[in-house]
Amino acid sequence: MAVLIGTGGNDVLRAENSDDTIAAAGGNDFIEARGGNDLIDPGTGNDRVEGGDGRDTVRVMGDQSQYGVFRFDSEGLVRGPDGVDQLFDVEAVQFTGVGGTLDLKDVPEFFAYSYIASHADLTQAFGANAGAGWAHFRDNGAAEGRGITFDGNSYLAANTDVLQGLGADANESGARHYLEFGRAEGRDTHFEALSYIASYDDLRSTFGTDQAAATLHFIQDGFEEGRSVTFDALAYTASNEDLIGAFGTLGKQELIDTAALHYIENGVKEGRTIDFDPLQYVASHTDLIQSFGKSGNAAVVSDTAALHYIEFGFNEDRVADRFNEQAYAAANQDLAGLNADELALHWVQFGVNENRAGAYDPIVA
């Protein structure tokens, strides 16, 4: 049994094949414990620890809550106030404060696909190479302060065809799908979790504003139950003059999330409703029809119209609904059976150019 003590510099410490204690102190050190059941204190700095045979434990100062512990296959990494320590053939991490000893085998596998998908440069460089993603995090990313921001569950929830194919417990597989296919296909990666909660009384009572829990509910239960996002946060904002003033300068995604949050926390209790209809709005103004009426499907046109009203139309005193769906349907018997929004969309995408009658009462110039 030996005791090895390092200096404040960058040391190379190699132990014997015995139960050794190694204290590296400061610097970026290389520690090779070799055989035996060793206790290793890497000290401060970014260190490489090779445990070798036996049960080897790396000891760090402080509570477990101060550190991130990561594992990929048999390799590990500890990131915390003392620096970043790479762990090879190390079995456990011991915390001198609260947390005790954590076996590395009990640490969840690092989400390498999600890590790659979180960073555009890594997505470009590595694609769906999980090993390369881990190696980057181990050798560079951890010290750079990089982490995981890509949410595989959110990606699955936003792409229900992928969810159907991969299943509800495919978080990391969702990230892999994004890297292999979804990115090139231009797929959405964001699920409107707050709007999903806002769509259902029981979800508001159960989840409040917990987006992760709501997203998990959707992919595990909600989708199979036939649930979807029905709350229109943009239309909700456009329906309330004070919210236009409060949220109108936000970017689209922030506006959607902020409005849904307002509805969950305040709007329901205040009895607020949605009376603004984006498709009726765009159908009421021929300049808007020409500008963006044919810019995509109903959802795209609807979002664009609501944003226009929030950002411009309200201050321009534009009429929110001058399209006469009843007159339009009566004048065009081939459209019988369409609902109000379907009639408005038909007028926007086809009827204007076909010079159909009945859209406006009175007629809008």
Side-chain angles (χ1 to χ4, degrees):
M1 178 176 181
V3 176
L4 281 74
I5 299 177
T7 69
N10 300 331
D11 300 315
V12 176
L13 301 174
R14 290 189 171 91
E16 302 298 327
N17 290 317
S18 58
D19 298 342
D20 303 311
T21 299
I22 305 172
N28 301 327
D29 306 307
F30 174 80
I31 302 169
E32 187 179 358
R34 297 183 177 177
N37 302 323
D38 305 302
L39 179 62
I40 306 160
D41 183 347
T44 59
N46 299 330
D47 309 301
R48 179 184 175 99
V49 179
E50 297 183 1
D53 295 333
R55 178 177 172 80
D56 303 299
T57 301
V58 164
R59 181 171 62 192
V60 296
M61 303 297 292
D63 300 337
Q64 184 175 345
S65 62
Q66 298 175 266
Y67 291 85
V69 181
F70 309 90
R71 179 187 63 82
F72 187 81
D73 291 337
S74 62
E75 298 179 7
L77 185 142
V78 179
R79 178 168 64 179
D82 292 339
V84 175
D85 298 320
Q86 302 173 357
L87 312 181
F88 301 86
D89 295 319
V90 170
E91 284 66 43
V93 177
Q94 181 185 99
F95 304 93
T96 60
V98 177
T101 299
L102 175 65
D103 278 6
L104 273 181
K105 62 180 177 57
D106 295 329
V107 175
E109 184 90 353
F110 181 71
F111 276 12
Y113 293 123
S114 295
Y115 174 68
I116 295 171
S118 299
H119 304 281
D121 58 332
L122 306 188
T123 301
Q124 184 69 30
F126 304 138
N129 187 334
W134 164 254
H136 182 277
F137 179 71
R138 180 196 66 206
D139 297 339
N140 301 286
E144 294 169 0
R146 297 205 195 203
I148 294 175
T149 59
F150 184 88
D151 186 338
N153 282 339
S154 184
Y155 176 72
L156 291 172
N159 298 275
T160 52
D161 59 326
V162 180
L163 173 61
Q164 284 181 302
L166 297 179
D169 297 315
N171 189 321
E172 184 69 339
S173 295
R176 180 175 180 176
H177 182 278
Y178 170 75
L179 293 171
E180 292 181 333
F181 308 106
R183 177 172 171 265
E185 295 168 0
R187 288 185 180 254
D188 191 3
T189 62
H190 180 75
F191 176 64
E192 304 290 355
L194 287 172
S195 292
Y196 177 59
I197 296 171
S199 301
Y200 298 95
D201 293 340
D202 61 329
L203 300 188
R204 291 195 297 271
S205 300
T206 303
F207 301 127
T209 59
D210 189 335
Q211 298 184 62
T215 302
L216 191 62
H217 176 274
F218 179 78
I219 65 173
Q220 291 185 338
D221 301 298
F223 178 65
E224 290 297 324
E225 295 169 1
R227 300 201 194 211
S228 62
V229 176
T230 59
F231 178 79
D232 188 334
L234 295 176
Y236 173 68
T237 303
S239 300
N240 294 276
E241 179 178 343
D242 59 327
L243 301 189
I244 293 175
F247 308 148
T249 59
L250 301 177
K252 179 182 177 181
Q253 191 57 61
E254 187 179 4
L255 193 160
I256 290 172
D257 289 342
T258 303
L261 183 65
H262 180 277
Y263 181 73
I264 295 167
E265 295 184 332
N266 302 288
V268 174
K269 292 181 291 186
E270 296 168 0
R272 298 203 188 214
T273 59
I274 298 175
D275 55 29
F276 177 84
D277 189 316
L279 291 178
Q280 299 290 321
Y281 172 65
V282 68
S284 299
H285 301 279
T286 53
D287 61 326
L288 303 187
I289 292 173
Q290 297 304 321
S291 294
F292 55 77
K294 300 174 179 62
S295 59
N297 59 26
V300 173
V301 174
S302 180
D303 282 359
T304 306
L307 281 171
H308 181 277
Y309 183 76
I310 293 167
E311 294 174 350
F312 307 106
F314 175 75
N315 289 327
E316 296 169 359
D317 292 324
R318 292 206 184 218
V319 175
D321 184 5
R322 195 174 288 167
F323 176 74
N324 191 330
E325 61 271 11
Q326 293 178 335
Y328 187 60
N332 299 277
Q333 294 299 311
D334 59 320
L335 305 182
L338 298 185
N339 63 33
D341 276 351
E342 289 170 338
L343 288 166
L345 188 64
H346 184 277
W347 167 245
V348 168
Q349 295 187 331
F350 306 105
V352 170
N353 290 339
E354 294 170 1
N355 295 315
R356 295 213 183 204
Y360 299 133
D361 184 14
I363 295 175
V364 174

